[in-house]
Amino acid sequence: MLIAAAVDFSGQGWDSGARDRMAATLTLGLGGRVSAGSEHDALLFHRPPPHIAARPVRASNGDAMLFAGQIHDRAGLRERLGIESGRPIQDAELYACAHAALGEDCDRIVIGCYAAIALGSAAQELRAVRSPLNPPPLYWWREGSRLIVASTPRVMFAAGNRAEIDWIHFDNCQLLNARDLSRSWYRGISRVEPGQSIRWTPSGDHRHRFWSAHDLPRVNLPHDEDYPEAARELMLRATREMLADFRRPGIMLSGGLDSQAVAASMLDVLPPGQDLPSYTRVPEPGFTGEGSDRQIFDESGYVRALARMYPRLRPQFIHPGGQDFGKALQETFLLGSAASMAAANMPWIDAICVKAAQDGCDVLLNGQNGNAGFSYKAQPAIAEWMRQGRWLRVFRELRNFRDDRSQLRRMLYYAILPNLPPSIQRGILLRAGSGRGQPFESWSAMRADHAAETGAIERSLANGFDPHFLPMSCAVEERMLMFDSGAGDAADIWLAQQLKSGLQFRDPTAYRPLVEFCFGIPAEQFRRDGVDRRLARRMLEGRVPEAVRQETRVGFQCADWPLSFARMRGELLKDLRRMGANPEIARRIDCERLTRDLERWDGDASREAAERILLAVSRAVTAGRFVDYVEGRNL
């Protein structure tokens, strides 16, 4: 769960109290015991999940190995490495064997969601790596001969590194730019990126990108019906792998295709007679919203329908119980060393984790990456088909597209506009009066003048994220945008949840063979003749309720937000006044606009109100409180 290594390439080592201070930062929250040791003056730390015993691992080549996460497809890897099937072996040892045998190529072969650190036998080389999809966090800091690599920046602070805000990352977060994957909330502390290994020596570092979605092979099966069948089998394999280490799983379950697919697969995989507790967020009492033609506010009906199909499913319905998002921020800051830009979701996630832990669960599965994989909508495929000259396919698709625009306007918006330069796209949308082209008047708390002065928009575009949300023209880039959003601060927030609850979290929809299959198959498998998420809808026929399979609306799991924000209004206004007195924050966050919006808000739940209050205010206040936490003003 937590790993760390501290090296001084000069051989001077660390002061006498450094080991104890660093180890102490890893004891926070729930988990196994911290193991602390030393190798040639390097300090090594490991804290496993509660169900795994901590023990040091050494590879056959002499490297000391630290491992966090989970390896999948273990049997195949053992066979490839020549490890007899009867010998018990933990993931850390298995990875050490793979690294010793395969060297830098090992991470192309090893399948899993993990982070690892390898210390060379003479402590003159250190290697760190994160798997490409859904990996746990891993940070690094180097100053002169000293290097620390750790699951959490707290270890760097214990070694004497001063915690200072990286204001570029602050700005990135207010624009939802999660594509700068090497940057963290702290100045001078970087992340190891997903799908990357870094090797440090006294003379410098070498970075190796071992996985890229753009390099995946194409997958073409003989018959159209082969695709959903293959996806079903891969989902079952994924679920078996995620459950391999646990005895009492549960699931975070909604009414959508992704988590319902995971639930159906879990019930196929679990031993006969074992029930499956599920936990579903529902609106708190007093909320009267009824949804819309685009959104579902209460998904409990679809969960109950799934339970009628599968009597072993034991649904439980959870609401935040009057808890507002500000209550648990300090604990999340401490355990996760990051601020979530989706803090309004934290109360109900906390409530689900508390209930699941009380019920004796040791792992919660979810389907959070399904939209980038098996249930992908593939809207950019229309622009890609246009570039390829497949105009008949474009016309047929747009004729059946679920959209109120005329056929000509659909052609302009989905087929032609995405293929134009971004500056022209933005100009067209602004002239058309599209609010999506004006983030500083709606969902972003950033000051427009600050964005212009610092080039924040241009930096975001250079990172591969467009804060104007222009229609994308590349399906691979859109899908990697979804995965990347979970590999930065979101990975830290999930780590904080694990430390708070003692639970582990697993996502079968991030299983690498399933994701690579979905990236490789033709776009028509995801969108054809007006049917989006076509692969998911076909593979789930007969496995989830038909109403779920045919649903085109999306769940809104914070639909009752006006109740909590009305309770918090005075507190939030106080936050904004305090932020306005901080020069660094005030030059970035438009506190005056947010204050005005919050004071004038009459409690309505319109889309405009949700953008200005739920999104902009909550993100600004969360970031402001995190700055206070880092700078020590509210300890």
Side-chain angles (χ1 to χ4, degrees):
M1 183 162 61
L2 297 173
I3 55 178
V7 180
D8 188 336
F9 289 123
S10 72
Q12 294 182 9
W14 302 84
D15 68 78
S16 58
R19 172 173 160 167
D20 291 341
R21 293 196 306 272
M22 293 182 198
T25 69
L26 301 177
T27 64
L28 300 178
L30 301 175
R33 296 181 59 187
V34 175
S35 170
S38 59
E39 297 276 345
H40 303 283
D41 295 324
L43 304 178
L44 303 177
F45 307 90
H46 177 216
R47 186 185 188 185
H51 63 285
I52 296 178
R55 59 179 176 143
V57 172
R58 186 174 298 283
S60 59
N61 62 0
D63 288 358
M65 185 65 64
L66 302 169
F67 184 89
Q70 185 183 43
I71 290 180
H72 307 145
D73 297 350
R74 296 175 176 123
L77 182 59
R78 292 172 67 124
E79 182 179 358
R80 178 172 185 138
L81 298 174
I83 301 172
E84 61 271 22
S85 59
R87 179 166 77 85
I89 186 169
Q90 292 184 1
D91 282 358
E93 185 180 355
L94 184 57
Y95 184 83
C97 293
H99 182 244
L102 303 171
E104 201 66 34
D105 275 344
C106 73
D107 297 292
R108 290 194 304 104
I109 308 302
V110 176
I111 304 299
C113 299
Y114 61 85
I117 302 171
L119 178 69
S121 57
Q124 289 297 294
E125 182 176 282
L126 189 139
R127 178 183 185 268
V129 64
R130 290 175 80 198
S131 62
L133 303 170
N134 206 32
L138 197 61
Y139 291 87
W140 65 273
W141 164 84
R142 182 168 188 174
E143 186 175 277
S145 63
R146 295 196 159 195
L147 168 69
I148 299 177
V149 181
S151 300
T152 168
R154 294 195 303 272
V155 178
M156 288 80 164
F157 306 145
N161 186 39
R162 183 181 175 185
E164 297 181 18
I165 290 290
D166 184 318
W167 291 105
I168 292 179
H169 187 73
F170 182 101
D171 290 349
N172 286 346
C173 289
Q174 294 305 316
L175 287 175
L176 299 185
N177 172 19
R179 299 302 298 276
D180 190 351
L181 290 170
S182 65
R183 192 176 291 276
S184 83
W185 275 97
Y186 301 95
R187 191 169 69 86
I189 297 177
S190 302
R191 302 180 201 265
V192 179
E193 297 184 18
Q196 179 191 67
S197 65
I198 307 179
R199 189 181 299 274
W200 293 273
T201 65
S203 61
D205 63 73
H206 171 72
R207 306 181 189 206
H208 173 58
R209 174 73 56 187
F210 62 85
W211 189 92
S212 170
H214 290 281
D215 298 332
L216 296 175
R218 307 304 299 167
V219 177
N220 292 290
L221 302 181
H223 307 290
D224 186 62
E225 60 270 20
D226 294 340
Y227 292 96
E229 182 61 32
R232 274 192 293 268
E233 288 301 315
L234 284 167
M235 179 64 80
L236 286 172
R237 274 177 53 190
T239 306
R240 290 190 191 97
E241 294 295 333
M242 303 299 157
L243 295 179
D245 300 327
F246 303 100
R247 63 171 181 82
R248 182 57 172 164
I251 181 170
M252 300 178 73
L253 182 61
S254 73
L257 293 170
D258 303 320
S259 63
Q260 294 229 342
V262 172
S265 294
M266 291 176 74
L267 289 160
D268 282 345
V269 168
L270 290 175
Q274 180 174 344
D275 64 359
L276 174 61
S278 69
Y279 304 90
T280 302
R281 204 276 201 211
V282 294
E284 65 174 274
F287 176 71
T288 58
E290 298 182 355
S292 67
D293 59 348
R294 294 181 178 273
Q295 294 179 323
I296 305 171
F297 290 173
D298 185 346
E299 300 178 76
S300 60
Y302 282 163
V303 172
R304 291 189 173 94
L306 187 70
R308 289 192 291 270
M309 291 184 66
Y310 298 96
R312 289 191 291 148
L313 187 69
R314 299 284 186 262
Q316 301 188 59
F317 301 102
I318 310 295
H319 62 76
Q323 291 296 310
D324 303 321
F325 79 87
K327 302 298 183 185
L329 286 181
Q330 192 87 354
E331 188 177 19
T332 301
F333 296 161
L334 176 65
L335 296 176
S337 300
S340 170
M341 292 298 100
N345 287 321
M346 299 312 299
W348 64 264
I349 294 176
D350 281 343
I352 283 176
C353 291
V354 168
K355 186 65 174 71
Q358 291 173 346
D359 291 345
C361 292
D362 52 5
V363 65
L364 280 179
L365 269 62
N366 60 66
Q368 66 178 4
N369 287 292
N371 285 342
F374 81 100
S375 69
Y376 181 50
K377 293 181 70 172
Q379 184 171 302
I382 301 172
E384 292 180 345
W385 291 330
M386 190 71 176
R387 289 198 305 275
Q388 296 163 3
R390 300 176 62 187
W391 298 321
L392 183 60
R393 162 61 61 192
V394 171
F395 293 145
R396 186 184 304 132
E397 190 61 41
L398 292 176
R399 184 181 63 231
N400 296 287
F401 205 82
R402 296 186 183 96
D403 194 294
D404 295 334
R405 297 177 178 90
S406 68
Q407 180 77 356
L408 176 60
R409 291 179 68 86
R410 292 180 202 174
M411 174 68 72
L412 291 171
Y413 188 80
Y414 295 108
I416 297 175
L417 188 67
N419 289 309
L420 298 177
S423 59
I424 296 177
Q425 291 187 54
R426 285 195 295 274
I428 292 173
L429 291 177
L430 285 171
R431 282 194 294 274
S434 171
R436 283 197 154 207
Q438 304 175 48
F440 309 118
E441 298 177 16
S442 53
W443 58 266
S444 176
M446 184 181 286
R447 296 177 62 98
D449 55 352
H450 174 74
E453 291 168 6
T454 60
I457 293 286
E458 290 73 19
R459 183 173 61 247
S460 182
L461 292 172
N463 292 149
F465 174 71
D466 179 13
H468 297 92
F469 299 103
L470 300 176
M472 298 188 71
S473 62
C474 176
V476 171
E477 282 299 308
E478 183 180 58
R479 299 164 96 173
M480 285 313 302
L481 175 62
M482 299 181 204
F483 274 112
D484 289 346
S485 66
D489 295 340
D492 299 287
I493 303 306
W494 282 111
L495 175 61
Q497 287 294 333
Q498 292 183 41
L499 292 169
K500 281 198 279 187
S501 65
L503 296 166
Q504 298 292 295
F505 299 94
R506 297 290 185 265
D507 180 8
T509 65
Y511 178 55
R512 186 165 146 192
L514 173 61
V515 172
E516 292 181 347
F517 169 80
C518 292
F519 269 71
I521 64 179
E524 287 88 342
Q525 293 302 318
F526 297 101
R527 175 177 292 275
R528 181 189 290 179
D529 299 332
V531 178
D532 63 3
R533 295 180 176 166
R534 180 170 175 263
L535 179 70
R537 298 187 197 282
R538 292 199 298 157
M539 67 180 276
L540 294 176
E541 186 171 5
R543 294 183 55 76
V544 301
E546 192 63 12
V548 172
R549 197 176 73 90
Q550 299 291 353
E551 182 62 79
T552 59
R553 295 174 297 171
V554 297
F556 184 13
Q557 295 175 332
C558 277
D560 55 359
W561 69 269
L563 298 181
S564 63
F565 275 72
R567 291 192 297 264
M568 295 181 68
R569 190 196 304 253
E571 182 182 352
L572 296 172
L573 288 169
K574 187 182 299 184
D575 274 296
L576 292 171
R577 286 193 292 271
R578 185 177 68 253
M579 292 164 59
N582 182 319
E584 289 289 352
I585 295 178
R587 71 167 54 103
R588 291 169 167 83
I589 298 297
D590 196 341
C591 297
E592 296 87 351
R593 167 169 60 90
L594 299 181
T595 298
R596 184 172 62 251
D597 288 344
L598 191 55
E599 287 176 338
R600 293 177 178 174
W601 176 56
D602 61 3
D604 77 283
S606 66
R607 174 177 173 176
E608 180 182 2
E611 289 180 341
R612 291 176 178 271
I613 309 299
L614 170 64
L615 301 183
V617 171
S618 71
R619 289 166 182 162
V621 167
T622 300
R625 290 193 187 182
F626 186 73
V627 171
D628 285 344
Y629 164 78
V630 171
E631 297 181 347
R633 277 189 291 275
N634 59 345
L635 295 180

